[in-house]
Amino acid sequence: MSIINFAVIGYGGMGSYHAHNLIPAESTRVHVAGTYDISGERQQISQGKGLRIYESLEEVLNDGNIEAILIATPNDSHKEIAIKALRAGKHVVCEKPVAMNTRELDEILAVAEATGNVFMVHQNRRWDPDFLIIRQLYQKKTIGDIFQIESRVQGANGIPGDWRHLQKHGGGMLLDWGVHLLDQLLWLVDSPIKSVQADLSYILGDEVDDGFMSYITFENGVRALVEVGTTNYTKLPRWYVKGLEGTAKINDWDLSGEIIAATGREDVPAPAPIQAGVGLTKTMAPPSEEATERIAFPEPKADFVPFYQNFYEVVREGAEPIVKNHEVRKVMNVIEDIFRASDKG
Ligand code: NAD
C-alpha cells in the first residue's frame, strides 16, 4: 500500500522534530513532502534542510499529493487548521493539547465525523519508557494492586518560549505538560473519576499557570497526585507509586530508581526502634532485610505499535487508533475540571 505524504504545518521545535525524526523513523509508511510556517525564518530553515516549502496553508490543502497534515503550531490555531484540512479531504495528526477546550475539540470531531477523515492526536508520552514501566507494574500487579500514583515533572527554567506565556495562545503548564501526565494517568487507570482537587501556581507572575498540583481520585480506589513545576531547583521523583505489596520509584527519564517489594515472609524480626531526630520511632524504622527485596524494573516495552505506524494502519487498514478521540476528550474535560477546581479554591 502506498506511503502517506505529509505536510508539516508549523515548522518550529516540535514540527521540525516530526519532520526530521518521527516521520522519517516510519519511512516505509509516512513521508514528509513539505512544510508550511508563517515565519519566513522558519521557512528558510526548512528549505535549507532540503524540504519543499509551501507558501500558504491553502497551497498545502490544494495539493492533491498531500494526504495528511501534521499540526505543530501554537495551541490556539489547532482547531482552525484541523477543520480546514479535514474539509479539504486531508487526514490530520494534531499536536497536544488538541485544542483550547472541549468545545473546540467537539467542533473538530464533528467535522472529522462528517468528512470521514482520520483525526489523531499525538499523545506521544504513552510511549515514554518510564510510563511503560509503570504501566506494566500496574497491569501485572508486580507490587500488588496499585492504589497511589504520584506523577510529576519539575524543572527550574520557568515557562519556555514566547506564546506559552500567553492565555490567548493556550499557554501555561497545565495545557503544556499537564495534558501529557493526565493522558498517561487516565489511559492507565481505567475507572471513572470521583473527584478532582487542584491548585495552579502563578509564582513567576505570568497570566498563565507556571505549574499546578492536582489530586485526582478514581472510583476504583486509586488516588493520584499530578504535579508540574517550573520553579523547582531540585526535584522529586518522576514517579512514586505504591502497591499493596511494594513501592516503585522512578527518579527521571534516565530510568534510575528502585522497586522495593514485600517478600511476604512471616518469620521476620519485628523492626527495632531507631533514633529519629531527637526522638525514637519503630513506625518509621526501615523494614528488616528479610521483609523486603529489590526487584528489577521490567523492560520498558510497549505492547502496541509506534504512533505513526498506528496512524498508517488506521488510515490504510481501518485499524483502531491507539490514541482515541474520546480519551483525548476525557483528558480535556479533566483539564477544565482542574482550572475550575483551582479557581474555586
Ligand atoms: P514553536 O513555537 O517552537 O513552533 C511553532 C511554529 O508554528 C513556529 O515556527 C510558528 O512560526 C509556527 N506557526 C504559528 N502559527 C502558525 C500558523 N497559523 N500556520 C503555520 N505556522 C504557524 O512551538 P512548539 O514547541 O513546536 O509547539 C508547537 C505545538 O507542538 C504545540 O501545540 C505544542 O504543545 C506541541 N508540542 C508537543 C510536544 C510533544 O511532546 N508532543 C512537544 C513540544 C511541543
Side-chain angles (χ1 to χ4, degrees), residues 9-15 36-39 42 71-75 77-78 81 95-97 122 124-125 162-164 176 180:
I9 312 299
Y11 182 75
M14 200 56 187
Y36 165 61
D37 197 295
I38 49 167
S39 145
R42 295 305 301 170
I71 304 176
T73 55
N75 305 336
S77 53
H78 293 180
I81 298 171
E95 261 305 339
K96 51 50 62 175
H122 189 235
N124 50 324
R125 294 197 176 276
D162 42 14
W163 61 266
R164 280 182 174 79
D176 194 54
H180 281 304

Side-chain angles (χ1 to χ4, degrees), residues 17 33 40 50 81 97 99 118 144 163 174-175 190 207 246 265 278 281 305 314:
Y17 189 63
I81 298 171
V118 172
W163 61 266
L174 175 55
L175 280 170
D190 185 17
E207 63 182 32
R265 281 177 52 178
V278 293
T281 181
V305 300
V314 171

Side-chain angles (χ1 to χ4, degrees), residues 141-152:
K141 301 183 192 285
T142 318
I143 50 172
D145 280 318
I146 286 176
F147 61 90
Q148 183 179 320
I149 298 169
E150 296 184 17
S151 169
R152 12 171 104 75

Side-chain angles (χ1 to χ4, degrees), residues 131 134-135 138 149 183-190 239:
F131 173 66
I134 298 296
R135 190 168 180 264
Y138 189 90
I149 298 169
D183 179 70
Q184 290 177 333
L185 179 71
L186 268 56
W187 199 46
L188 183 70
V189 183
D190 185 17
W239 295 94

Side-chain angles (χ1 to χ4, degrees), residues 156-167:
N157 305 318
I159 300 175
D162 42 14
W163 61 266
R164 280 182 174 79
H165 291 265
L166 299 174
Q167 217 159 21

